[in-house]
Amino acid sequence: MNIRELIEQWKAVAIALLGVCGTILLCLTIGALLFDWHTVLSAVPSLVGGLVAALLMSENLKAINLDSLAALPIYMLMFHGILGYPLTTILLKKEGNRLKKEFHQNPQAVTGTKEVAERTKVITKIPTNYRTSAFALARTGFVALLAVLFGTVTNNVINTNVVCLIFGIVFCQLGFLEKDILKSAGVFNWLIYGLTAYIFAQLSTTTPSSLLGFIPEILVLMVLSIFGMFLISRLVYKWFGYSKEMTMATALTALFGFPADYILTNDVIKEVA
């Protein structure tokens, strides 16, 4: 991962953050008028932070003895895809077909992502004997361990998941980790499957009756969330030079987060291309 490449994507980050603001605005105003305050607060992180936010909220609700609400973030994580996935797919396909048509009419008018020159690495060469999947995973695990230790030393002032992300970027810049190291090690898809299974494992202590009891909150807050993102997208898309469809699709990535946004985007790219 290249830091300068991340900086190049500042528009996407800004749009996603503005979409989050739209969701928070409507859910904490209209949503709070319709439902209990604690219920709304329990649901919002899943709507703006995806998997990690849902798991963190669920764990914290259990820690403060709000077990009755602990399953709500996971329910939101499951159900927001009912609206979010097809809507994002439609928007991405529309944008992809538009770009494809423009490219066929004028190939010079459509440019791809700019190639960002790689900065010289501190660790420039790893011996061939060590370029194995096992050693790649060992290096990745070592960086993750350092991130966890850092969190422990700092009393987790910054969430461990965020620290892991930062450490991953830093060690990639140093050359200790390669770009897309999990893909090159051949384990990326397996980890995605495991992550997905872990999500559904959180439902092991819930019952159908508890799910049915949250249906009104789930449906209303999902609609408010998507409408908030839509409203913000319509207001700002011209500022960022994106189409309405691309702006809305970018904002919606905050709704379901990784790995759903990665899988969905790549599926649409393959279909349109």
Side-chain angles (χ1 to χ4, degrees):
M1 184 179 292
N2 191 299
I3 292 178
R4 282 177 289 179
E5 188 177 353
L6 290 176
I7 295 173
E8 287 284 331
Q9 303 300 321
W10 70 270
K11 290 183 180 180
V13 175
I15 291 170
L17 290 175
L18 289 170
V20 167
C21 293
T23 291
I24 293 174
L25 176 64
L26 292 190
C27 287
L28 296 188
T29 52
I30 300 174
L33 293 174
L34 300 174
F35 306 113
D36 176 71
W37 178 248
H38 290 98
T39 300
V40 176
L41 288 181
S42 301
V44 167
S46 298
L47 294 171
V48 298
L51 170 62
V52 174
L55 295 177
L56 288 174
M57 177 55 76
S58 183
E59 291 171 1
N60 282 284
L61 287 170
K62 292 177 182 176
I64 60 176
N65 298 318
L66 287 176
D67 293 340
S68 60
L69 294 174
L72 180 57
I74 308 300
Y75 291 150
M76 296 299 300
L77 190 67
M78 291 174 54
F79 281 90
H80 61 42
I82 294 175
L83 292 177
Y85 294 165
L87 180 57
T88 305
T89 300
I90 291 169
L91 292 168
L92 288 176
K93 284 183 178 179
K94 190 170 182 179
E95 177 68 6
N97 287 324
R98 181 186 70 81
L99 291 173
K100 188 176 179 180
K101 183 178 179 181
E102 282 188 13
F103 178 77
H104 287 307
Q105 292 175 345
N106 184 8
Q108 287 76 32
V110 181
T111 58
T113 304
K114 291 192 296 183
E115 290 292 332
V116 180
E118 284 287 338
R119 182 181 176 183
T120 302
K121 309 292 186 181
V122 176
I123 303 172
T124 57
K125 187 175 181 180
I126 295 175
T128 305
N129 293 340
Y130 292 98
R131 294 178 186 174
T132 64
S133 296
F135 189 60
L137 290 175
R139 283 182 284 134
T140 305
F142 176 71
V143 173
L145 177 60
L146 289 179
V148 172
L149 291 175
F150 177 86
T152 302
V153 170
T154 58
N155 200 26
N156 291 317
V157 174
I158 303 175
N159 182 266
T160 304
N161 296 285
V162 177
V163 176
C164 285
L165 175 62
I166 295 172
F167 272 51
I169 295 172
V170 170
F171 278 86
C172 185
Q173 285 295 107
L174 293 175
F176 186 74
L177 299 177
E178 302 95 295
K179 184 178 180 181
D180 296 328
I181 189 169
L182 295 178
K183 285 185 179 179
S184 61
V187 299
F188 181 79
N189 289 334
W190 287 104
L191 291 176
I192 293 296
Y193 298 149
L195 186 59
T196 305
Y198 180 71
I199 297 171
F200 290 106
Q202 304 305 306
L203 299 174
S204 60
T205 59
T206 64
T207 62
S209 59
S210 67
L211 171 60
L212 292 174
F214 283 123
I215 289 297
E217 290 88 342
I218 291 171
L219 294 178
V220 172
L221 292 175
M222 277 198 309
V223 171
L224 288 175
S225 173
I226 293 175
F227 185 72
M229 292 180 180
F230 174 78
L231 185 62
I232 293 295
S233 298
R234 292 287 297 193
L235 292 174
V236 305
Y237 77 94
K238 289 184 179 179
W239 298 351
F240 294 101
Y242 285 3
S243 67
K244 295 188 290 291
E245 293 80 12
M246 191 62 190
T247 304
M248 182 60 184
T250 302
L252 281 171
T253 60
L255 178 65
F256 38 79
F258 186 84
D261 54 356
Y262 172 85
I263 296 171
L264 197 62
T265 303
N266 278 277
D267 285 347
V268 172
I269 290 172
K270 292 175 183 176
E271 183 175 341
V272 173

